[in-house]
mmCIF file with all atom_site columns, all heavy atoms in Angstrom:
data_model
loop_
_atom_site.group_PDB
_atom_site.id
_atom_site.type_symbol
_atom_site.label_atom_id
_atom_site.label_alt_id
_atom_site.label_comp_id
_atom_site.label_asym_id
_atom_site.label_entity_id
_atom_site.label_seq_id
_atom_site.pdbx_PDB_ins_code
_atom_site.Cartn_x
_atom_site.Cartn_y
_atom_site.Cartn_z
_atom_site.occupancy
_atom_site.B_iso_or_equiv
_atom_site.pdbx_formal_charge
_atom_site.auth_seq_id
_atom_site.auth_comp_id
_atom_site.auth_asym_id
_atom_site.auth_atom_id
_atom_site.pdbx_PDB_model_num
ATOM 1  N N   . SER B 1 241 ? -76.450 -77.951 62.756 1.00 96.00 ? 1128 SER B N   1
ATOM 2  C CA  . SER B 1 241 ? -76.624 -78.773 63.997 1.00 96.00 ? 1128 SER B CA  1
ATOM 3  C C   . SER B 1 241 ? -76.429 -78.048 65.226 1.00 96.00 ? 1128 SER B C   1
ATOM 4  O O   . SER B 1 241 ? -76.685 -78.422 66.244 1.00 96.00 ? 1128 SER B O   1
ATOM 5  C CB  . SER B 1 241 ? -75.736 -79.992 63.745 1.00 96.00 ? 1128 SER B CB  1
ATOM 6  O OG  . SER B 1 241 ? -74.365 -79.789 63.891 1.00 96.00 ? 1128 SER B OG  1
ATOM 7  N N   . TYR B 1 242 ? -75.556 -76.989 65.223 1.00 97.00 ? 1129 TYR B N   1
ATOM 8  C CA  . TYR B 1 242 ? -75.307 -76.133 66.313 1.00 97.00 ? 1129 TYR B CA  1
ATOM 9  C C   . TYR B 1 242 ? -76.245 -75.017 66.408 1.00 97.00 ? 1129 TYR B C   1
ATOM 10 O O   . TYR B 1 242 ? -76.087 -74.147 67.431 1.00 97.00 ? 1129 TYR B O   1
ATOM 11 C CB  . TYR B 1 242 ? -73.842 -75.605 66.261 1.00 97.00 ? 1129 TYR B CB  1
ATOM 12 C CG  . TYR B 1 242 ? -72.721 -76.557 66.530 1.00 97.00 ? 1129 TYR B CG  1
ATOM 13 C CD1 . TYR B 1 242 ? -72.220 -77.366 65.454 1.00 97.00 ? 1129 TYR B CD1 1
ATOM 14 C CD2 . TYR B 1 242 ? -72.193 -76.660 67.833 1.00 97.00 ? 1129 TYR B CD2 1
ATOM 15 C CE1 . TYR B 1 242 ? -71.198 -78.265 65.841 1.00 97.00 ? 1129 TYR B CE1 1
ATOM 16 C CE2 . TYR B 1 242 ? -71.270 -77.646 68.078 1.00 97.00 ? 1129 TYR B CE2 1
ATOM 17 C CZ  . TYR B 1 242 ? -70.638 -78.404 67.162 1.00 97.00 ? 1129 TYR B CZ  1
ATOM 18 O OH  . TYR B 1 242 ? -69.660 -79.229 67.427 1.00 97.00 ? 1129 TYR B OH  1
ATOM 19 N N   . GLY B 1 243 ? -77.162 -74.891 65.583 1.00 97.00 ? 1130 GLY B N   1
ATOM 20 C CA  . GLY B 1 243 ? -78.356 -73.833 65.642 1.00 97.00 ? 1130 GLY B CA  1
ATOM 21 C C   . GLY B 1 243 ? -77.891 -72.622 64.838 1.00 97.00 ? 1130 GLY B C   1
ATOM 22 O O   . GLY B 1 243 ? -78.619 -71.523 64.891 1.00 97.00 ? 1130 GLY B O   1
ATOM 23 N N   . TRP B 1 244 ? -76.882 -72.726 63.897 1.00 98.00 ? 1131 TRP B N   1
ATOM 24 C CA  . TRP B 1 244 ? -76.555 -71.536 63.043 1.00 98.00 ? 1131 TRP B CA  1
ATOM 25 C C   . TRP B 1 244 ? -76.923 -71.823 61.544 1.00 98.00 ? 1131 TRP B C   1
ATOM 26 O O   . TRP B 1 244 ? -76.908 -72.918 61.052 1.00 98.00 ? 1131 TRP B O   1
ATOM 27 C CB  . TRP B 1 244 ? -75.052 -71.359 63.057 1.00 98.00 ? 1131 TRP B CB  1
ATOM 28 C CG  . TRP B 1 244 ? -74.552 -71.036 64.355 1.00 98.00 ? 1131 TRP B CG  1
ATOM 29 C CD1 . TRP B 1 244 ? -73.712 -72.002 65.129 1.00 98.00 ? 1131 TRP B CD1 1
ATOM 30 C CD2 . TRP B 1 244 ? -74.592 -69.967 65.167 1.00 98.00 ? 1131 TRP B CD2 1
ATOM 31 N NE1 . TRP B 1 244 ? -73.354 -71.518 66.453 1.00 98.00 ? 1131 TRP B NE1 1
ATOM 32 C CE2 . TRP B 1 244 ? -73.880 -70.212 66.318 1.00 98.00 ? 1131 TRP B CE2 1
ATOM 33 C CE3 . TRP B 1 244 ? -75.210 -68.706 65.020 1.00 98.00 ? 1131 TRP B CE3 1
ATOM 34 C CZ2 . TRP B 1 244 ? -73.722 -69.184 67.410 1.00 98.00 ? 1131 TRP B CZ2 1
ATOM 35 C CZ3 . TRP B 1 244 ? -75.040 -67.771 65.953 1.00 98.00 ? 1131 TRP B CZ3 1
ATOM 36 C CH2 . TRP B 1 244 ? -74.347 -68.027 67.286 1.00 98.00 ? 1131 TRP B CH2 1
ATOM 37 N N   . TRP B 1 245 ? -77.306 -70.703 60.940 1.00 97.00 ? 1132 TRP B N   1
ATOM 38 C CA  . TRP B 1 245 ? -77.748 -70.860 59.430 1.00 97.00 ? 1132 TRP B CA  1
ATOM 39 C C   . TRP B 1 245 ? -76.824 -69.959 58.605 1.00 97.00 ? 1132 TRP B C   1
ATOM 40 O O   . TRP B 1 245 ? -76.733 -68.674 58.823 1.00 97.00 ? 1132 TRP B O   1
ATOM 41 C CB  . TRP B 1 245 ? -79.142 -70.441 59.160 1.00 97.00 ? 1132 TRP B CB  1
ATOM 42 C CG  . TRP B 1 245 ? -79.566 -70.608 57.641 1.00 97.00 ? 1132 TRP B CG  1
ATOM 43 C CD1 . TRP B 1 245 ? -79.476 -69.563 56.836 1.00 97.00 ? 1132 TRP B CD1 1
ATOM 44 C CD2 . TRP B 1 245 ? -80.025 -71.682 57.097 1.00 97.00 ? 1132 TRP B CD2 1
ATOM 45 N NE1 . TRP B 1 245 ? -79.920 -69.959 55.573 1.00 97.00 ? 1132 TRP B NE1 1
ATOM 46 C CE2 . TRP B 1 245 ? -80.195 -71.244 55.705 1.00 97.00 ? 1132 TRP B CE2 1
ATOM 47 C CE3 . TRP B 1 245 ? -80.270 -72.951 57.562 1.00 97.00 ? 1132 TRP B CE3 1
ATOM 48 C CZ2 . TRP B 1 245 ? -80.709 -72.202 54.727 1.00 97.00 ? 1132 TRP B CZ2 1
ATOM 49 C CZ3 . TRP B 1 245 ? -80.648 -73.963 56.503 1.00 97.00 ? 1132 TRP B CZ3 1
ATOM 50 C CH2 . TRP B 1 245 ? -80.862 -73.539 55.195 1.00 97.00 ? 1132 TRP B CH2 1
ATOM 51 N N   . VAL B 1 246 ? -75.976 -70.510 57.908 1.00 97.00 ? 1133 VAL B N   1
ATOM 52 C CA  . VAL B 1 246 ? -75.042 -69.623 56.921 1.00 97.00 ? 1133 VAL B CA  1
ATOM 53 C C   . VAL B 1 246 ? -75.414 -70.093 55.488 1.00 97.00 ? 1133 VAL B C   1
ATOM 54 O O   . VAL B 1 246 ? -75.930 -71.204 55.379 1.00 97.00 ? 1133 VAL B O   1
ATOM 55 C CB  . VAL B 1 246 ? -73.625 -69.930 57.158 1.00 97.00 ? 1133 VAL B CB  1
ATOM 56 C CG1 . VAL B 1 246 ? -73.325 -69.517 58.718 1.00 97.00 ? 1133 VAL B CG1 1
ATOM 57 C CG2 . VAL B 1 246 ? -73.132 -71.308 56.922 1.00 97.00 ? 1133 VAL B CG2 1
ATOM 58 N N   . ALA B 1 247 ? -75.061 -69.280 54.559 1.00 97.00 ? 1134 ALA B N   1
ATOM 59 C CA  . ALA B 1 247 ? -75.410 -69.500 53.212 1.00 97.00 ? 1134 ALA B CA  1
ATOM 60 C C   . ALA B 1 247 ? -74.372 -70.260 52.501 1.00 97.00 ? 1134 ALA B C   1
ATOM 61 O O   . ALA B 1 247 ? -73.165 -69.809 52.507 1.00 97.00 ? 1134 ALA B O   1
ATOM 62 C CB  . ALA B 1 247 ? -75.751 -68.128 52.421 1.00 97.00 ? 1134 ALA B CB  1
ATOM 63 N N   . ALA B 1 248 ? -74.605 -71.353 51.896 1.00 97.00 ? 1135 ALA B N   1
ATOM 64 C CA  . ALA B 1 248 ? -73.588 -72.069 51.024 1.00 97.00 ? 1135 ALA B CA  1
ATOM 65 C C   . ALA B 1 248 ? -73.221 -71.175 49.857 1.00 97.00 ? 1135 ALA B C   1
ATOM 66 O O   . ALA B 1 248 ? -74.020 -70.406 49.339 1.00 97.00 ? 1135 ALA B O   1
ATOM 67 C CB  . ALA B 1 248 ? -74.163 -73.335 50.376 1.00 97.00 ? 1135 ALA B CB  1
ATOM 68 N N   . GLY B 1 249 ? -71.924 -71.096 49.517 1.00 97.00 ? 1136 GLY B N   1
ATOM 69 C CA  . GLY B 1 249 ? -71.403 -70.202 48.603 1.00 97.00 ? 1136 GLY B CA  1
ATOM 70 C C   . GLY B 1 249 ? -71.772 -70.508 47.115 1.00 97.00 ? 1136 GLY B C   1
ATOM 71 O O   . GLY B 1 249 ? -71.622 -69.745 46.255 1.00 97.00 ? 1136 GLY B O   1
ATOM 72 N N   . ALA B 1 250 ? -72.285 -71.823 46.890 1.00 97.00 ? 1137 ALA B N   1
ATOM 73 C CA  . ALA B 1 250 ? -72.455 -72.133 45.436 1.00 97.00 ? 1137 ALA B CA  1
ATOM 74 C C   . ALA B 1 250 ? -73.409 -71.200 44.713 1.00 97.00 ? 1137 ALA B C   1
ATOM 75 O O   . ALA B 1 250 ? -73.177 -70.984 43.488 1.00 97.00 ? 1137 ALA B O   1
ATOM 76 C CB  . ALA B 1 250 ? -73.065 -73.501 45.486 1.00 97.00 ? 1137 ALA B CB  1
ATOM 77 N N   . ARG B 1 251 ? -74.417 -70.616 45.390 1.00 96.00 ? 1138 ARG B N   1
ATOM 78 C CA  . ARG B 1 251 ? -75.317 -69.768 44.810 1.00 96.00 ? 1138 ARG B CA  1
ATOM 79 C C   . ARG B 1 251 ? -74.821 -68.471 44.383 1.00 96.00 ? 1138 ARG B C   1
ATOM 80 O O   . ARG B 1 251 ? -75.238 -67.658 43.620 1.00 96.00 ? 1138 ARG B O   1
ATOM 81 C CB  . ARG B 1 251 ? -76.607 -69.507 45.721 1.00 96.00 ? 1138 ARG B CB  1
ATOM 82 C CG  . ARG B 1 251 ? -76.289 -68.760 46.883 1.00 96.00 ? 1138 ARG B CG  1
ATOM 83 C CD  . ARG B 1 251 ? -77.379 -68.867 48.005 1.00 96.00 ? 1138 ARG B CD  1
ATOM 84 N NE  . ARG B 1 251 ? -78.626 -68.520 47.433 1.00 96.00 ? 1138 ARG B NE  1
ATOM 85 C CZ  . ARG B 1 251 ? -79.634 -68.089 48.279 1.00 96.00 ? 1138 ARG B CZ  1
ATOM 86 N NH1 . ARG B 1 251 ? -79.479 -68.136 49.529 1.00 96.00 ? 1138 ARG B NH1 1
ATOM 87 N NH2 . ARG B 1 251 ? -80.783 -67.697 47.713 1.00 96.00 ? 1138 ARG B NH2 1
#
Side-chain angles (χ1 to χ4, degrees):
S1128 70
Y1129 283 87
W1131 303 105
W1132 179 267
V1133 301
R1138 63 194 306 201

